[in-house]
Amino acid sequence: MPELPEVEVLVRRLAPRLNNKTIRRVEVRRARVLRPTRPAELNRALTGAHFVGVARRAKYLTFTLRQAGGGGTFLLLGHLGMTGRMFLQPVSAPLPKHTAVALDLGGENFVFEDTRYFGRFTLDTSTQDRLGPEPLGDEFTLEYFIHALRRSRQAIKVKLLDQSLVAGVGNIYACESLFRAGVSPRLPACELTRALTERLRNALRTTLAEAIDFGSGVALDWPGQGEKDGLFYYGRAAGAPDCEERLCAYDRQGQPCPVCRTPIRRIVQAARSTFYCPRCQRS
Ligand SMILES: [Zn+2]
């Protein structure tokens, strides 16, 4: 499942290819991903509009478009859900079987493909109102984090997945950040000391920034026809390194901790798997 770094890498990849491109034709094959926007509404808004910006907010892609005829700008939101992909392909190439939406940009189609249709491609921006600060942004200060954790008895691992606390952190990077900070995933949020909170904030930022750097430098196969590696789920291009080998705790149950060799343990918290080192993460 794509998390913040995977979406950020995709945004950086798409921005130079989409900016200034005009949408000539809109083809909606799975109206479900648009909801609550209706296909006719999307068609009307997008046809003739052009991309002026591609950015990321939490796990959303935010496309800024300028209306046809030089009118005002508006937002189109994309979310990859569990299995979504976004990529460009020549208009001459047949659209993939699970294409949800395709935008004809002239020489190329911008394709949103989603085999399970949990993703989003919509004009509805109401989901953005409830999001907390970006973990890599200036608003995610130590004082904010301390204040937000102080009020909760939830286990810190579960709390980190709360998108209104900090936006874009998912299961993989919550586990990895707690490992890096040496914090037990079961510790109630309100029991983190100031020093531990600072360590966890730094670990979150470093872990996410490293993953973005790594993904920006590795050859990926965007339509996802290549080798799967479980992390950069677009699929890695032939010969590219295995991204999953970078992970210390996530999905490594029973394997030795890279620091102390104790087997990594798996527990279930709020119906999600948590992976941690029982020796390194005792705080
Ligand atoms: Zn360890």
Side-chain angles (χ1 to χ4, degrees), residues 179 257 259-260 262 277 279-280:
F179 175 84
C257 163
V259 175
C260 74
T262 302
C277 172
R279 185 160 172 197
C280 294

Side-chain angles (χ1 to χ4, degrees), residues 135-188:
L136 294 170
D138 295 337
E139 284 172 30
F140 185 55
T141 62
L142 178 59
E143 294 313 318
Y144 166 81
F145 200 24
I146 288 170
H147 187 74
L149 296 184
R150 193 179 285 158
R151 292 172 296 183
S152 174
R153 289 211 55 80
Q154 260 186 329
I156 185 62
K157 156 68 194 322
V158 178
K159 194 68 190 164
L160 283 179
L161 301 181
D162 175 355
Q163 301 295 298
S164 67
L165 170 80
V166 54
V169 178
N171 212 25
I172 297 173
Y173 295 103
C175 291
E176 291 296 298
S177 301
L178 288 165
F179 175 84
R180 186 186 286 257
V183 172
S184 164
R186 303 178 205 248
L187 190 67

Side-chain angles (χ1 to χ4, degrees), residues 121-274:
F121 205 76
T122 182
L123 299 172
D124 173 39
T125 58
S126 60
T127 47
Q128 306 294 289
D129 304 341
R130 300 183 292 273
L131 296 172
E134 286 288 322
L136 294 170
D138 295 337
E139 284 172 30
F140 185 55
T141 62
L142 178 59
E143 294 313 318
Y144 166 81
F145 200 24
I146 288 170
H147 187 74
L149 296 184
R150 193 179 285 158
R151 292 172 296 183
S152 174
R153 289 211 55 80
Q154 260 186 329
I156 185 62
K157 156 68 194 322
V158 178
K159 194 68 190 164
L160 283 179
L161 301 181
D162 175 355
Q163 301 295 298
S164 67
L165 170 80
V166 54
V169 178
N171 212 25
I172 297 173
Y173 295 103
C175 291
E176 291 296 298
S177 301
L178 288 165
F179 175 84
R180 186 186 286 257
V183 172
S184 164
R186 303 178 205 248
L187 190 67
C190 59
E191 287 180 25
L192 266 82
T193 61
R194 186 181 181 89
L196 273 188
T197 308
E198 185 167 18
R199 224 154 78 193
L200 181 56
R201 175 176 170 271
N202 292 340
L204 270 169
R205 289 164 78 107
T206 309
T207 304
L208 292 168
E210 278 183 8
I212 292 169
D213 279 354
F214 187 87
S216 305
V218 71
L220 297 168
D221 172 28
W222 302 91
Q225 306 303 317
E227 205 179 335
K228 302 286 188 290
D229 70 1
L231 182 53
F232 276 100
Y233 80 126
Y234 314 110
R236 69 189 142 118
D242 186 346
C243 304
E244 206 165 34
E245 281 175 8
R246 295 175 311 119
L247 300 179
C248 296
Y250 183 79
D251 209 17
R252 297 193 68 240
Q253 180 183 12
Q255 294 178 53
C257 163
V259 175
C260 74
R261 316 305 292 169
T262 302
I264 296 292
R265 196 171 287 173
R266 174 184 171 270
I267 55 172
V268 174
Q269 294 179 290
R272 310 283 303 272
S273 290
T274 298

